[in-house]
Amino acid sequence: MTLYIGENLKKQRKLRELTQEQLADILGVSFQSVSKWERGEGYPDIEMLPTIANCFGITVDELIGMNEVRDAADVKNILDKEKDNRSKGLIEENIKLLAEAVKVHPNNYKLLSLYALNLTFVAIDNKSEEYRQNNRKAVEIAERILAECTDPEIRNIMQGELCNYYQNLGEASKALEAAHKLPPMWQGSELIKMNILKGEDLVRLTQNNIFQLTNIMFLCLRTMADINAQNNPELTWEQRIEILRKAIAIYDIVFDKGDYNVYAYDLSFLHREISAMAIKAGDFGLALDSIEKAAEYAKYIDLLPEKKPYVSLLVNKLEYKAANTGKNFTNTFSEEFLMKMSDSRYDKIRDDPRFKAVESSLQK
């Protein structure tokens, strides 16, 4: 249990405009003892606590910081519940949980940042008024955090998320303005730390960076393939398919033992999109091959255990944990995939026996 004696001692001393030397004289201890207590490098003897509390006219509980201790325990319970809900796709429950939590802990920036993140992660129609209201609320929260919070990790997350919130609202200029305040990719802390850490810490950091960079390549190639043919109309459907295949190849390089774990979701998406593109290109054989592969990856995710170590060479110091994942739907991945198969994009192969076999396997 964390005690807050040092912080409260310093606060009470300054309220009474006492120096550390003056307080030391009053308590009959050395100046060095008071200094050490305030720095959190030690605590007064338990017999001294009533004396110190009486000196300030407060209770021992106030001196120890029992309210802070209880608040910290409450916040931890909320954070644990939020994480568990997110792994199960219970985002609406998280929004209710965090809406109440920030009323009780209005200055807890971790809770506020999670509230904003969940508001914009919930699965709702992105053209609805609720969607706009959620993103507008998230903008307000992010801007408040950036104005008040000094925690660099929370600030960086919120600066990045603020770009997304503005983009979701169709305010591209504000999104770009927020993006310009972020460091370039090569100046990110995780890359910089690779020049500092040593040994096992360096290996784990490097493998985590490989994870992140693999996901970045997935996002870049997905964007470059221009799935909806809106930004690069000159690409043929065959070229778009080739780009997505390169993303699949990258996953196969990193996870050479086939231990994709949660990244199988990306592979399922890639094969599903290749199937839709192949239909547009008139290659129905490829479309059916791809929809079968996409379904297998969806079923693979549903069969993952709570924990599973990675064994592929580039990531073999890491472990998959279901509790650390998140989704914004409560269905299984197979059920979600089955719903996506109802999209009109697949109408031209819908009556094929292979397509129906995939539907049947997912229904099981």
Side-chain angles (χ1 to χ4, degrees), residues 53-290:
N54 287 334
C55 174
F56 294 131
I58 60 176
T59 66
V60 172
D61 275 4
E62 288 175 292
L63 177 63
I64 292 174
M66 288 309 297
N67 285 338
E68 290 95 330
V69 170
R70 282 189 286 269
D71 283 351
D74 184 43
V75 168
K76 183 181 183 304
N77 288 335
I78 294 168
L79 293 175
D80 289 344
K81 182 63 176 174
E82 188 277 339
K83 184 178 180 181
D84 183 58
N85 283 345
R86 185 159 25 95
S87 71
K88 297 174 180 176
L90 301 172
I91 307 304
E92 290 185 356
E93 287 193 20
N94 268 349
I95 291 174
K96 294 175 185 175
L97 171 74
L98 293 164
E100 292 303 313
V102 297
K103 292 177 184 176
V104 179
H105 307 283
N107 297 315
N108 188 296
Y109 299 113
K110 179 66 174 177
L111 292 178
L112 282 165
S113 67
L114 287 172
Y115 185 27
L117 290 168
N118 278 273
L119 279 169
T120 56
F121 190 46
V122 65
I124 52 178
D125 180 6
N126 62 9
K127 292 182 171 55
S128 69
E129 183 57 30
E130 181 184 1
Y131 180 82
R132 289 192 61 80
Q133 288 176 355
N134 280 7
N135 278 276
R136 184 58 62 193
K137 179 68 175 177
V139 165
E140 293 172 5
I141 293 170
E143 289 181 336
R144 179 192 162 192
I145 289 173
L146 291 169
E148 300 175 4
C149 179
T150 57
D151 185 304
E153 182 178 357
I154 295 176
R155 286 182 58 81
N156 284 338
I157 291 172
M158 280 294 95
Q159 188 66 52
E161 287 300 320
L162 185 59
C163 305
N164 296 329
Y165 306 155
Y166 277 131
Q167 184 66 15
N168 293 343
L169 290 166
E171 300 177 13
S173 60
K174 290 185 178 179
L176 280 173
E177 183 182 346
H180 286 318
K181 295 179 182 179
L182 290 165
M185 187 187 303
W186 56 87
Q187 291 180 359
S189 64
E190 301 309 297
L191 293 180
I192 297 296
K193 285 190 290 188
M194 287 176 61
N195 296 322
I196 303 170
L197 297 178
K198 304 290 183 184
E200 185 76 7
D201 289 339
L202 175 60
V203 174
R204 288 185 178 277
L205 173 68
T206 303
Q207 292 196 358
N208 270 314
N209 284 348
I210 288 171
F211 265 146
Q212 299 301 322
L213 292 170
T214 301
N215 196 241
I216 288 171
M217 282 300 296
F218 160 72
L219 294 173
C220 288
L221 289 169
R222 185 183 73 178
T223 302
M224 187 176 174
D226 193 19
I227 291 167
N228 296 317
Q230 293 178 336
N231 300 304
N232 193 357
E234 294 180 0
L235 284 176
T236 66
W237 290 112
E238 289 81 4
Q239 288 173 322
R240 298 178 203 279
I241 289 169
E242 185 58 29
I243 291 170
L244 294 186
R245 279 176 166 165
K246 293 183 185 300
I248 293 170
I250 290 172
Y251 279 111
D252 287 339
I253 290 171
V254 174
F255 304 104
D256 58 283
K257 302 298 184 184
D259 49 345
Y260 306 104
N261 296 335
V262 74
Y263 286 94
Y265 182 81
D266 293 346
L267 288 165
S268 181
F269 169 84
L270 289 167
H271 283 292
R272 191 177 77 240
E273 292 303 317
I274 288 174
S275 179
M277 291 180 179
I279 292 171
K280 290 182 178 295
D283 190 342
F284 300 127
L286 175 58
L288 289 164
D289 289 343
S290 299

Side-chain angles (χ1 to χ4, degrees), residues 262-323:
V262 74
Y263 286 94
Y265 182 81
D266 293 346
L267 288 165
S268 181
F269 169 84
L270 289 167
H271 283 292
R272 191 177 77 240
E273 292 303 317
I274 288 174
S275 179
M277 291 180 179
I279 292 171
K280 290 182 178 295
D283 190 342
F284 300 127
L286 175 58
L288 289 164
D289 289 343
S290 299
I291 206 74
E292 287 171 346
K293 290 176 183 176
E296 288 305 312
Y297 283 119
K299 290 185 285 186
Y300 166 95
I301 303 171
D302 287 331
L303 295 174
L304 285 173
E306 289 299 307
K307 294 182 181 180
K308 183 181 177 183
Y310 287 93
V311 293
S312 294
L313 180 62
L314 298 182
V315 291
N316 61 8
K317 298 293 184 181
L318 306 177
E319 184 179 40
Y320 159 78
K321 295 180 181 178

